[in-house]
Amino acid sequence: MSPTAGGLLRSEIRRVGSLRSWWALGLPPVLIGGFASAVYAAIASSDALTGVDDANRVAALIGLYVTVGVSVLFAAVFGAVHAATDLRHGAASTTFLAAPRRGQVVAARILVSAAVGAAYAVVSVLVSVASLALFGGNTVVDDGLVIAVCLLGIVVSALWCVLGCGLGLLTGSPAIAAIVVVAWLPIGELVVIAVLSGIGAEAVAALLPGATTVAIMAADKGTDGDMLLPFSAAVIGLLLWTIGIAGAGWLRTTRRDVT
């Protein structure tokens, strides 16, 4: 008898808990985000920014943006590694024998990956806010934008974890998928954007996954004179990237020869 959907989810959660990758990749965003928030909070609470309007708000937002950015990167890497590890080492054959409906197995993996990506952001943001309060005193402001950044950070971190999961399923190699994520997010997309901007294709550059993520996080900024999409268009763009790559990984895995 095939496992139920609930059984597959429980099995996937146990699989995540049995590996070290979930906390090994979840720890850096917490540490980096907490440290960045502490630095910016200390600067804002000193006399260094006395001439800057809303210095506390600026410090809080910068600390949170750094936190969310690192969470997104490591969540995507986790998704890539988690999805492809058993495909690379041949353990997937046992899983697919126990659960012949591969689509359900992949769906459970994607759902659990999304939950882990969201958890990375939740913990990192909480530590970041605590760091702001501890080192900046009144740096943490009761501001709607600050709250929105926290909530949006959780959503985009979950989406990028699913996107990384799709890459892992698509390539079948945790190393290749992780390298693609690490090479693309901090460096690769900036190079592509620079090239596209140089040939007058800024509209295409705005559709890239990293650019849509930035546009989502900068929801209060206008789009006149810059490359950012409007908030609603950016949300749709990132969702399409996530669905497309995860869907391609799902299709590849359901048709893959597993030995």
Side-chain angles (χ1 to χ4, degrees):
M1 184 174 64
S2 300
T4 63
L8 288 173
L9 282 173
R10 288 191 296 271
S11 176
E12 195 64 27
I13 292 170
R14 286 196 296 268
R15 177 173 176 265
V16 170
S18 67
L19 301 174
R20 291 178 293 179
S21 57
W22 72 269
W23 63 262
L25 291 170
L27 193 58
V30 174
L31 297 178
I32 295 173
F35 178 75
S37 294
V39 170
Y40 286 110
I43 293 174
S45 61
S46 68
D47 296 332
L49 298 180
T50 52
V52 178
D53 295 335
D54 296 327
N56 291 338
R57 185 173 187 258
V58 171
L61 289 174
I62 292 176
L64 288 172
Y65 281 139
V66 171
T67 301
V68 171
V70 179
S71 296
V72 163
L73 176 62
F74 281 89
V77 172
F78 169 83
V81 173
H82 172 65
T85 297
D86 61 348
L87 294 171
R88 174 65 179 82
H89 297 288
S93 58
T94 303
T95 302
F96 294 147
L97 282 174
R101 295 182 179 179
R102 295 189 184 186
Q104 291 184 349
V105 176
V106 175
R109 188 155 299 177
I110 288 174
L111 287 174
V112 172
S113 295
V116 172
Y120 277 12
V122 168
V123 176
S124 299
V125 164
L126 289 176
V127 171
S128 179
V129 171
S131 181
L132 286 167
L134 180 62
F135 293 97
N138 61 348
T139 299
V140 181
V141 292
D142 184 12
D143 187 286
L145 180 59
V146 172
I147 297 173
V149 167
C150 294
L151 296 177
L152 290 173
I154 295 169
V155 174
V156 299
S157 183
L159 290 177
W160 270 95
C161 197
V162 172
L163 198 152
C165 184
L167 280 175
L169 294 171
L170 191 60
T171 62
S173 169
I176 293 175
I179 289 171
V180 169
V181 169
V182 173
W184 178 259
L185 268 178
I187 302 172
E189 184 162 326
L190 293 178
V191 174
V192 174
I193 288 175
V195 172
L196 291 174
S197 299
I199 61 175
E202 291 87 353
V204 177
L207 299 174
L208 295 174
T212 58
T213 303
V214 172
I216 292 172
M217 298 307 300
D220 70 319
K221 302 293 190 297
T223 58
D224 295 336
D226 59 34
M227 293 174 51
L228 298 181
L229 290 174
F231 176 76
S232 57
V235 171
I236 294 172
L238 185 57
L239 282 173
L240 289 176
W241 276 106
T242 304
I243 293 170
I245 294 178
W250 180 89
L251 185 63
R252 177 72 178 93
T253 303
T254 55
R255 298 184 178 184
R256 182 190 298 273
D257 290 331
V258 178
T259 57

